Amino acid sequence: MIKKIFIAACLLFSLVSLAQQGTSSPYSYYGIGDIRFRGMLENRSMGGVAVERDSIHINVENPASYASLKNTTLTMGGTYGTKTLKDDANNATAKRTTLDYMVVAIPIGKAGIGFGLLPYSSVGYKIQSISADGSKNNKRLEGTGGVNKVFFGSGYKVTNNFSLGADVQYNFGNIETDNLEYITNVPVGTRETNVAYISGLNFNLGAMYQAKITPKVNVYSSVNYTFKGNLTSENTRTISTVDYDGTFDIDPEGFDEVNTTKKLVLPSKLTLGIGFGESRKWMVGAEVAMREAGNLANNYNNVTGVTFNKYSRYSLGGYYIPNYNSFTSYAKRIVYRGGFRYEKTGLMVQNQNIVDKSVTIGFGLPALGSYSNFNIGLEYGIKGTTAAGLIQENYFNASVSFSLNDKWFVKRKFY
């Protein structure tokens, strides 16, 4: 059954993920957009903490975790988000519904493999600047697109307590921006359209270790290193005149096109995590991620007053299960999760570090009679600032995911 669901989900996810607009952040103008992927919903509901080797949940943050799975697992998640954008004088709201990831992992003895598709970053903004003085230029800016990631990884259990893993990731996608400038009462404006086709590889190594420190309590640790990766951006810039009072059609007489190639750099990243807990009962953990400054400014968004600095993330979270095998109370078998995340995005605009911080809660709802489960996660966060004329984003995300578990490649006993 899971095989049929997997094929149908692949077709649906491939179509929707490439067409969706996954963000409404003005900060997605810079670099390759707003980084969307923050792990599986189970880990996101704990502030991003992903230190425990799990037998029924996929952890794509560390490929070493694939070796601990007991069944073939398919997981897929999506998010409904609302956002309030505000500056010193105004505010606006935006809503988005997105697919977040689709991943399959298969155990093979002491090893395991995982592969999947996920939207890595998104561009999505509409900004209008209307001057009160008609003699000054007015602007309308719009951007769509983003970068997707397809990956394949493998993990191996060196000992019962220690696992290693690696994966390869192929990044691809396109970003389109549209910049219109015009003067009030002048019927013709100027439009600059940029289309960037982005592609490139990067690699990831991970290790996980757990051991008992008391008869009941375990210590969990995780280390993950993502190597620096190069992206190639094939850019096409089109400059034209438009009738902004009508349909914004291009005037062929004012058409001009330039093609360029730009090399972008995804910086290396190191993630360290540690946790303590009792198996199938509770866990608390902390995680720190550090990333070098990258070179992500493209030809069309390389503006003054903007720099890409080092990234860092600090996460704290955990879960609690009252009684995972209770026969009398379903509520006691629910996994209750919570966490906190503080993230310096590495983006600095007008000498202001753009910080993203959030609190999360989640619920893991087990399916009756199987290891499959349904997950719900809620997140409230604040990104950016109103200082220096910038925009602050107050957002709320409601996410859902399912994790289907089944045995594949079982030898038939009867013919």
Side-chain angles (χ1 to χ4, degrees), residues 264-286:
L264 309 178
V265 177
L266 286 174
S268 60
K269 180 181 177 181
L270 175 65
T271 305
L272 302 171
I274 189 169
F276 302 90
E278 181 180 344
S279 297
R280 300 176 182 176
K281 184 67 176 180
W282 62 271
M283 191 277 296
V284 292

Side-chain angles (χ1 to χ4, degrees), residues 68-352:
S68 297
L69 289 170
K70 299 300 183 183
N71 296 326
T72 297
T73 303
L74 162 67
T75 184
M76 188 171 180
T79 296
Y80 171 77
T82 63
K83 183 177 296 184
T84 300
L85 309 171
K86 66 178 184 178
D87 58 17
D88 290 330
N90 304 291
N91 64 74
T93 60
K95 301 177 181 179
R96 290 287 185 273
T97 300
T98 59
L99 287 175
D100 294 336
Y101 53 82
M102 189 188 71
V103 181
V104 174
I106 303 172
I108 309 174
K110 289 187 175 183
I113 60 173
F115 55 91
L117 172 67
L118 53 95
Y120 177 69
S121 70
S122 288
V123 174
Y125 59 87
K126 292 183 180 180
I127 304 172
Q128 181 169 278
S129 175
I130 303 297
S131 174
D133 184 350
S135 64
K136 296 182 179 180
N137 287 352
N138 305 293
K139 295 183 179 181
R140 295 180 185 177
L141 309 177
E142 183 175 355
T144 57
V147 176
N148 300 291
K149 184 188 296 287
V150 61
F151 69 92
F152 178 86
S154 178
Y156 182 75
K157 188 175 290 187
V158 181
T159 68
N160 287 333
N161 295 335
F162 181 62
S163 300
L164 292 173
D167 64 32
V168 57
Q169 307 167 2
Y170 176 68
N171 307 281
F172 66 98
N174 64 81
I175 298 172
E176 181 173 343
T177 65
D178 196 69
N179 306 328
L180 172 65
E181 292 193 22
Y182 61 92
I183 299 175
T184 305
N185 298 324
V186 176
V188 177
T190 300
R191 183 171 72 177
E192 177 188 291
T193 300
N194 295 279
V195 180
Y197 296 95
I198 297 172
S199 62
L201 288 172
N202 63 325
F203 301 90
N204 190 35
L205 293 178
M208 303 187 80
Y209 177 81
Q210 71 177 52
K212 287 188 175 295
I213 55 176
T214 74
K216 288 188 176 181
V217 178
N218 301 311
V219 59
Y220 309 100
S221 60
S222 172
V223 58
N224 191 70
Y225 184 76
T226 302
F227 292 89
K228 181 174 67 174
N230 295 317
L231 299 177
T232 300
S233 179
E234 301 290 343
N235 303 325
T236 299
R237 170 175 292 175
T238 304
I239 300 176
S240 59
T241 57
V242 295
D243 177 3
Y244 65 86
D245 288 331
T247 61
F248 297 94
D249 288 335
I250 294 176
D251 177 1
E253 295 181 0
F255 183 89
D256 187 23
E257 183 175 288
V258 178
N259 297 308
T260 59
T261 299
K262 176 74 172 181
K263 297 295 184 181
L264 309 178
V265 177
L266 286 174
S268 60
K269 180 181 177 181
L270 175 65
T271 305
L272 302 171
I274 189 169
F276 302 90
E278 181 180 344
S279 297
R280 300 176 182 176
K281 184 67 176 180
W282 62 271
M283 191 277 296
V284 292
E287 196 169 86
V288 177
M290 297 164 286
R291 187 173 64 204
E292 294 296 319
N295 179 17
L296 297 174
N298 214 325
N299 293 341
Y300 59 86
N301 61 11
N302 190 5
V303 296
T304 59
V306 177
T307 56
F308 295 94
N309 298 326
K310 292 184 178 181
Y311 161 98
S312 60
R313 171 177 60 85
Y314 306 91
S315 298
L316 179 66
Y319 69 79
Y320 174 70
I321 310 173
N323 186 353
Y324 80 96
N325 60 357
S326 174
F327 292 102
T328 59
S329 174
Y330 181 80
K332 289 184 179 180
R333 292 194 287 125
I334 294 176
V335 184
Y336 300 89
R337 303 182 176 101
F340 170 78
R341 173 177 57 87
Y342 180 87
E343 182 177 302
K344 288 186 176 181
T345 65
L347 177 64
M348 177 175 283
V349 184
Q350 302 299 332
N351 294 319
Q352 300 293 322

